[in-house]
Amino acid sequence: MPYSGQTMRQKALTDYMFTSESVSEGHPDKICDQISDAVLDLYMTADPQSRVACETLATTDTVVIAGETRGPESITKEKIEEAARQAIKKIGYDQEGFSWKTVDIDVKLHAQSVDIAQGVDEGTGIDKDEGAGDQGIMFGYACKETEALMPAPLHYSHEILRLMAEDRKSGALKGIEPDAKSQVTLQYKNDRPVGVKSVVVSTQHAEGLSQDDVKNLIRPYVEKVLPEGWMPPEEELYVNPTGRFVIGGPVGDCGLTGRKIIVDTYGGAAPHGGGAFSGKDPTKVDRSAAYAARYLAKNVVAAGYADGCTVQLSYAIGVSKPISVYLNTHGTGTAPETTIVEALQSLVDLRPRGIREHLQLNKPIYQRTAAYGHFGRTPTDDGGFSWEKTDLINELQRILG
């Protein structure tokens, strides 16, 4: 249920086409996201109260890790380098120009600014509670287009690449290399997806495979992911449209942390506040408040109070309470929006510390978020993807009736 970027209150046409894209874990930007979150997990394992803001750059034979941290002295450059190397190995890069075994990793992390720390640490901020790590606006969204309560074009785009990667790493899909992108265009009628217009998959492949060879390898994954009867015509299934994609990964394109924020969130079907997630500890509201906003929106939709819901939260650096809380059910709500907002705020403490404690975010759960989307995932027993839980349903129904 996409909405115009001009205003959240302006509803889009009821009949339209909408497109979202995804990128694989081997895309250069996603390599960087995963390394940044691997470093964060390293710190969270050693001390759950660590502060991390980690950025990564990847290019031919080189990875540079920079940013600010505050944590145990036991986290050495050597440990950070090894965490990065293992992240690259897990993705599957062992090729000329970029191999986990030989890539040069340059660690340039330094201590967190004391000016930032004094506004964030409990007892020193403007209201003597743990303040937000920065100002900013964060959005959460949910809709009934898929079981995951995610926009369908993005959901299908993620799933195609995720299944390809799964089989590539198991050996079931041979000749396909880590770098890939997907794009799915859906036809909507009366604001509901009714079919697929086209699918694009571009994937790095081994030397010697023709475009038709690659298309035959990829077609079964598209067929498996899309609902029955939704496969596009053969001429609308575009696989490696340039005809060849052998040079890939950081050899073909420089990667940076935080350049895939729309892929990470809602595929353009909802607004985005602009802040990236990977490499940031949960005191950074760019990440934790975006998770909280998704949690609130998902529970509203899961509880039956809207078919689609957008939540916006805003914060000021060093201030604990949110500056504003906004909710829009896009004309699909079954309860007044102001009443829903009041109910949500009575159930969830939206201060940074409250979010962290409610969602249990001070854990090494982040590297797994850095490919195939931060939302629409399944919560895990160790606390991963806790923002995907729908455990507010009963309380919302008790309050709202």
Side-chain angles (χ1 to χ4, degrees), residues 29-30 32-33 36 54-56 255-262 264 274-278 280:
D29 295 333
K30 277 289 144 204
C32 295
D33 285 344
S36 292
C54 177
E55 311 289 347
T56 302
L256 291 170
T257 298
R259 284 205 299 198
K260 289 294 176 284
I261 57 176
I262 300 303
D264 284 343
F277 300 156
S278 290
K280 297 178 181 178

Side-chain angles (χ1 to χ4, degrees), residues 17-30:
M17 288 186 288
F18 193 80
T19 304
S20 294
E21 70 161 354
S22 179
V23 298
S24 72
E25 62 203 72
H27 185 281
D29 295 333
K30 277 289 144 204

Side-chain angles (χ1 to χ4, degrees), residues 53-68:
C54 177
E55 311 289 347
T56 302
L57 175 147
T59 187
T60 305
D61 286 326
T62 304
V63 166
V64 179
I65 301 171
E68 304 78 47

Side-chain angles (χ1 to χ4, degrees), residues 26 152 241 251 275 306 321 326-327 338 341:
V251 178
K321 65 183 178 75
Y326 168 88
L327 181 141
T338 54
V341 167

